[in-house]
Amino acid sequence: MSTDTKTALLDAAEELFAEQGFAATSMRELTQRAAANIAAVNYHFGSKADLAKEVLRRRIEPINRERARRLDALPDEAPARDVLRAFLEPVFSGGACESDGSVHGFCRVVGRLNVEQPPFLREFFAEQFRGLAHRFTRRLADCAPHLPPETLWWRLHFVVGALAHTLMNAHLIASIREAEGVVVPHDAATIAGELIAFATGGVLAPEPHPLDPEATK
Amino acid sequence: MSTDTKTALLDAAEELFAEQGFAATSMRELTQRAAANIAAVNYHFGSKADLAKEVLRRRIEPINRERARRLDALPDEAPARDVLRAFLEPVFSGGACESDGSVHGFCRVVGRLNVEQPPFLREFFAEQFRGLAHRFTRRLADCAPHLPPETLWWRLHFVVGALAHTLMNAHLIASIREAEGVVVPHDAATIAGELIAFATGGVLAPEPHPLDPEATK
DNA sequence: GATCGAATCAAACAGTTGTTTGAGTTCTGG
DNA sequence: CCAGAACTCAAACAACTGTTTGATTCGATC
């Protein structure tokens, strides 16, 4: 069946883009892992770039739908923590975990391509997130009326950064300390919990002081 | 003078790696921008990979020295905010800003290569940060004795993620809203201030609740 | 002014890149 | 059973990859 080849390509691309990034992954390697012919990607997707978009779309769209759904389901007086849960938890749920509870490959590919951002993906990401980011920022503004909108805008992006970095490196971060005998749980549920607590504290932090220029020097 | 070629190569590499990443930047493009011969990189640095290491080293080492210096200079009872300032401010200072106050290219290259992490850079980064990360985590533990060490470990990495993401995308993040007529200041001082406030709130947040498994489903 | 090492250069290296081609196979609907 | 679409395949495409070579130029030291 041809659909099998198509999803095999998506799966292989997901793994390899996650591990090595977009530019560093070759079509030979990719099609070989999918047990497909070299020409299969261009036949089914058009190009390597279009394949990458499709890899992302199949994961991001459900996540963003779920984010929107949860945001809408929140009562008006919902606290910031619930808003941030609506933003973060969908990433880790919905099959995001391996059977051993560790973070699934697609989490890493989203994080990876989100930061690699090949030129052709810039617009794709902007398109996927623009609307949602504004809705969440507006919602957070209700929870924290003492904070100016620009500050909240920055803070939501800090959360995105922490999320992307964590998705990509969770296994590495944990392994650093485990090499010393310290066991660091890094299953998806633990990470999500840690991240939500951190994000809530960060978003609700008091307004930044103007920095002492002396100290920054 | 030959030193000029060498630094011209470092500067060009810094810019291009920042914009496009390591794998996506070719030697032709790189040497051309530096007004040097194709063979110049291999002559002066040995290989493309070694060039990348050098690009990073020349920026990261001073930053990490300054981080260590500031950490040591802190009084014993210093609050978490000061510890985080010692960690974050050196990134933005020391020539990190363009003349217009925006974030300098090298900030982006560090953020970029930190997330792209070509295999040969894994060990390099680990080596550069391992010791420092532990010292900061230990210091933060003194400021927040109510939090388990693993939680602080995660939170420091969340801060790194927010930092890396911001360094890479500050201009983009700002431009999204400016396209709508909202002026978002994104000079280095503003960003540093926002990030420090966010990081302090996040690191000191109360311990994470165990998540409601229902909601994560 | 000759000598030597450092630096630059154009050219070529062998290998890989993403993509295209056209013939072959497999599958499906009539 | 056959026509036609959907798909797979090996081979070749031109372009580009990082790196090496050997001759040439440059600047300093003796």
Side-chain angles (χ1 to χ4, degrees), chain A residues 2 5 28 36-39 43-44:
Chain A
S2 90
T5 301
R28 266 94 180 163
N37 186 269
I38 277 285
Y43 177 78
H44 285 286

Side-chain angles (χ1 to χ4, degrees), chain B residues 2 5 28 36-37 39 43-44:
Chain B
S2 90
T5 302
R28 266 95 181 164
N37 187 271
Y43 177 79
H44 285 285

Side-chain angles (χ1 to χ4, degrees), chain A:
Chain A
M1 196 189 193
S2 90
T3 308
D4 278 350
T5 301
K6 218 168 163 180
T7 68
L9 288 171
L10 285 170
D11 291 342
E14 188 168 271
E15 282 181 44
L16 289 172
F17 290 163
E19 285 168 26
Q20 315 174 336
F22 174 79
T25 299
S26 78
M27 308 281 288
R28 266 94 180 163
E29 191 180 7
L30 201 157
T31 50
Q32 203 165 329
R33 174 172 303 207
N37 186 269
I38 277 285
V41 167
N42 296 281
Y43 177 78
H44 285 286
F45 297 95
S47 70
K48 186 187 181 189
D50 288 328
L51 169 63
K53 282 189 202 168
E54 206 48 44
V55 166
L56 291 176
R57 189 192 319 279
R58 115 177 131 147
R59 304 298 192 181
I60 289 182
E61 282 189 355
I63 290 177
N64 280 354
R65 260 200 305 276
E66 177 67 8
R67 281 168 161 167
R69 194 190 67 74
R70 290 220 204 171
L71 189 66
D72 290 337
L74 287 181
D76 278 350
E77 66 283 357
R81 180 167 188 274
D82 289 345
V83 176
L84 288 166
R85 287 182 64 179
F87 186 73
L88 293 172
E89 283 180 351
V91 178
F92 293 92
S93 58
C97 314
E98 305 280 11
S99 52
D100 65 350
S102 68
V103 177
H104 187 286
F106 92 76
C107 287
R108 303 224 306 282
V109 79
V110 174
R112 167 71 85 158
L113 294 186
N114 183 39
V115 292
E116 186 173 0
Q117 296 227 6
F120 64 90
L121 281 183
R122 292 254 160 84
E123 188 46 37
F124 175 82
F125 270 104
E127 178 189 318
Q128 292 282 333
F129 288 108
R130 209 188 315 265
L132 209 62
H134 280 98
R135 294 182 54 196
F136 272 94
T137 309
R138 228 170 306 140
R139 227 10 217 274
L140 286 174
D142 296 339
C143 308
H146 60 294
L147 293 172
E150 298 81 31
T151 292
L152 282 169
W153 181 252
W154 279 118
R155 290 181 179 183
L156 184 60
H157 281 280
F158 295 153
V159 172
V160 172
L163 173 65
H165 181 76
T166 305
L167 291 181
M168 271 188 48
N169 296 317
H171 55 304
L172 287 178
I173 293 172
S175 73
I176 292 177
R177 297 213 74 189
E178 275 163 13
E180 305 160 358
V182 184
V183 177
V184 180
H186 59 289
D187 55 282
T190 302
I191 294 176
E194 294 282 356
L195 187 53
I196 289 165
F198 172 84
T200 307
V203 166
L204 294 182
E207 201 167 351
H209 315 195
L211 284 181
D212 179 2
E214 169 70 11
T216 321
K217 165 80 170 323

Side-chain angles (χ1 to χ4, degrees), chain B residues 99-188:
Chain B
S99 51
D100 64 350
S102 67
V103 176
H104 188 286
F106 92 76
C107 286
R108 303 224 307 281
V109 81
V110 174
R112 167 71 86 158
L113 293 186
N114 183 39
V115 292
E116 186 172 359
Q117 296 227 5
F120 64 91
L121 281 183
R122 292 253 161 83
E123 189 45 39
F124 176 83
F125 270 105
E127 177 189 319
Q128 292 282 335
F129 289 108
R130 209 187 315 264
L132 208 62
H134 280 98
R135 295 183 52 197
F136 272 95
T137 308
R138 226 170 308 139
R139 237 352 228 279
L140 286 175
D142 297 338
C143 309
H146 61 293
L147 294 172
E150 297 80 31
T151 292
L152 282 170
W153 182 252
W154 279 117
R155 289 181 181 183
L156 184 61
H157 280 279
F158 295 153
V159 171
V160 171
L163 173 65
H165 181 75
T166 305
L167 291 181
M168 272 188 47
N169 297 316
H171 55 303
L172 287 179
I173 293 172
S175 72
I176 292 177
R177 300 212 72 189
E178 274 163 13
E180 306 161 357
V182 184
V183 177
V184 180
H186 59 288
D187 55 282

Side-chain angles (χ1 to χ4, degrees), chain B residues 63-64 66-72 74 80 82-88 90 129-143 152-153 156 203:
Chain B
I63 289 177
N64 280 353
E66 176 67 7
R67 280 168 161 167
R69 196 191 65 75
R70 290 219 203 173
L71 189 65
D72 290 336
L74 286 181
D82 289 344
V83 176
L84 288 166
R85 286 182 64 178
F87 185 74
L88 293 172
F129 289 108
R130 209 187 315 264
L132 208 62
H134 280 98
R135 295 183 52 197
F136 272 95
T137 308
R138 226 170 308 139
R139 237 352 228 279
L140 286 175
D142 297 338
C143 309
L152 282 170
W153 182 252
L156 184 61
V203 166

